Amino acid sequence: MHEPSFGGSEWLYLKECLDSTFVSSVGKFVDRFESELASFTGAGHAVAVVNGTAALHIALKLAGVRTDDEVLVPALTFVATANAVSYCGATPHLVDSEESTLGMDAARLRAHLVSQTEQRVGSCVNRATGRIIRAMVPMHTFGHPVDLDGLLAVAKDFNIAMVEDAAESLGSYYRGQHTGTFGLLGILSFNGNKTITTGGGGAILTNDPELARRAKHLTTTAKVPHRWEFVHDELGYNYRMPNINAALGCAQLEQLPGFLESKRTLFERYRDAFAPVPGVRMFAEREGCRSNYWLQTLLLDESIGGRRDELLAATNAAGYQTRPAWAPMHTLAPYSSCPQASLQVAESLQRRIINIPSSAVLAREPSP
Ligand SMILES: *Cc1c(COP(=O)(O)O)cnc(C)c1O
């Protein structure tokens, strides 16, 4: 589906890391990776952490999410988005997606909030549960930017903080600005199957220097800097990214522009190849958006959505790894009783999405 590619300075930087003996929680590659991520994305600050889920956990805490709050999460996402909300002691409130972006639908969300919530002293309260809806976590599905203009307006009108789950969208832009830099905070993932990998890893993005300082502090055990004293001034987390992973990240970032170009070429080849096939289309970036085409997505028409599993079985049997979108959150045991909006579109999309082989290296193979 998405294999990593290590054709750059990976060996060199890893050797440098081993030779220096700084393989763990301190070392120059962590600082370098953070500053290069900030400059690539245009975010004011980037804080490297152990994985994308940990990044989301801390980003939500910094956005003010507390025990007994609710957080708006798309039903159609990877489970990490909802899990990070649960780690804060809060409850995911599941909302629908739209077919044009595969992400949160701003218009339907607004209608849902108008009918289900009221404002109490500057907070959005779910009338049915009495809990505060503190934040929303739009996710850029398979690298395709969500409707940020629409969602930012909802966030502002209803006093809800935005944390962007940009785990899948490194190299994706909305109106020329990098995804993950629109909300109060955003997060990236560098898991093995993502656009670039550090083995495991993630980052918190923010333009607010104080939030960046807090993110660094909380993810490094909340230790007060001192040459020998062990003073921790609040409950912190051991979420820092080891130097050896950051070394891999620096080498991968150097190749990112090439990966993005290859992934776009791969999309164009698939689009042309599937154009004459009735009942299916390649999901393409929307106007005003630039997608990283992380996972290539075949969207089946409603009329043949019922044959998805047949197509999955046939392609996998023929040696092509294909897979459906995630099971929507409300169908998973831990999230089956969460508050939820109507999830019609998410359910329809889930029946009709097939992800097909998406590795950047595939574009280097000759066209069939
Ligand atoms: C990959 C991913 C994450 C974070 O994953 P980690 O494996 O913890 O790095 C979060 N949200 C989404 C949507 C993802 O695809």
Side-chain angles (χ1 to χ4, degrees):
M1 182 60 50
H2 201 287
E3 64 179 294
S5 161
F6 302 116
S9 302
E10 284 86 356
W11 283 108
L12 182 71
Y13 294 169
L14 285 175
K15 181 167 189 314
E16 230 179 283
C17 200
L18 294 177
D19 289 344
S20 76
T21 77
F22 286 99
V23 295
S24 189
S25 50
V26 288
K28 66 168 192 179
F29 285 113
V30 176
D31 297 338
R32 176 171 155 192
F33 188 49
E34 288 179 339
S35 92
E36 289 178 358
L37 274 176
S39 80
F40 182 86
T41 59
H45 308 268
V47 176
V49 295
V50 76
N51 58 51
T53 311
L56 264 177
H57 179 193
I58 298 305
L60 286 166
K61 281 184 88 73
L62 291 175
V65 175
R66 275 167 257 166
T67 305
D68 293 334
D69 283 345
E70 289 180 14
V71 176
L72 301 166
V73 166
L76 194 62
T77 186
F78 176 55
V79 72
T81 321
N83 284 349
V85 172
S86 303
Y87 300 160
C88 295
T91 304
H93 182 135
L94 305 173
V95 300
D96 211 359
S97 298
E98 62 182 340
E99 179 147 349
S100 59
T101 66
L102 308 178
M104 268 175 149
D105 183 326
R108 290 167 70 93
L109 176 59
R110 180 179 291 275
H112 177 68
L113 293 175
V114 165
S115 78
Q116 301 295 319
T117 68
E118 62 192 40
Q119 292 290 313
R120 280 188 216 152
V121 282
S123 292
C124 180
V125 175
N126 179 347
R127 263 196 263 103
T129 61
R131 294 186 294 227
I132 294 175
I133 299 179
R134 191 77 66 182
M136 64 165 73
V137 191
M139 193 274 286
H140 306 288
T141 312
F142 309 135
H144 292 284
V146 292
D147 170 15
L148 281 161
D149 284 344
L151 291 169
L152 284 164
V154 172
K156 181 163 175 284
D157 293 347
F158 290 84
N159 293 309
I160 296 171
M162 182 188 287
V163 173
E164 284 175 81
D165 183 344
E168 306 182 352
S169 63
L170 178 64
S172 298
Y173 298 80
Y174 182 83
R175 300 196 198 292
Q177 183 178 333
H178 198 284
T179 53
T181 65
F182 289 81
L184 189 60
L185 301 121
I187 72 97
L188 300 171
S189 167
F190 312 113
N191 191 37
N193 63 345
K194 295 282 163 47
T195 302
I196 67 165
T197 186
T198 59
I204 299 168
L205 304 178
T206 183
N207 289 322
D208 182 323
E210 177 57 16
L211 286 176
R213 191 195 62 75
R214 296 271 304 133
K216 192 70 178 176
H217 190 60
L218 282 178
T219 55
T220 55
T221 70
K223 186 174 180 295
V224 179
H226 192 280
R227 284 180 67 190
W228 56 81
E229 299 279 11
F230 283 93
V231 177
H232 304 265
D233 61 0
E234 62 183 309
L235 176 62
Y237 299 82
N238 182 13
Y239 280 176
R240 60 191 133 202
M241 175 181 280
N243 199 43
I244 198 159
N245 299 78
L248 211 45
C250 289
Q252 288 269 290
L253 257 186
E254 290 169 357
Q255 297 160 82
L256 178 56
F259 292 161
L260 293 171
E261 206 177 301
S262 295
K263 295 169 76 59
R264 178 164 294 272
T265 302
L266 185 61
F267 163 74
E268 286 163 358
R269 287 205 195 151
Y270 276 135
R271 182 197 55 200
D272 296 349
F274 281 111
V277 181
V280 305
R281 70 184 162 93
M282 287 299 294
F283 191 84
E285 68 196 357
R286 269 199 330 160
E287 208 181 300
C289 295
R290 191 164 176 90
S291 176
N292 65 1
Y293 287 106
W294 171 57
L295 284 193
Q296 306 287 347
T297 304
L298 200 56
L299 197 57
L300 313 184
D301 284 354
E302 278 290 1
S303 58
I304 60 161
R307 297 184 63 189
R308 184 197 69 186
D309 290 352
E310 208 181 310
L311 290 168
L312 289 170
T315 42
N316 278 284
Y320 297 99
Q321 191 181 20
T322 58
R323 61 174 209 204
W326 318 275
M329 294 304 105
H330 61 294
T331 67
L332 302 181
Y335 299 115
S336 58
S337 56
C338 285
Q340 52 178 259
S342 150
L343 301 173
Q344 258 172 286
V345 179
E347 285 177 345
S348 161
L349 285 171
Q350 205 275 334
R351 283 192 299 272
R352 295 157 49 218
I353 285 171
I354 295 183
N355 290 124
I356 59 179
S358 303
S359 312
V361 291
L362 292 172
R364 284 171 221 149
E365 288 171 14
S367 278

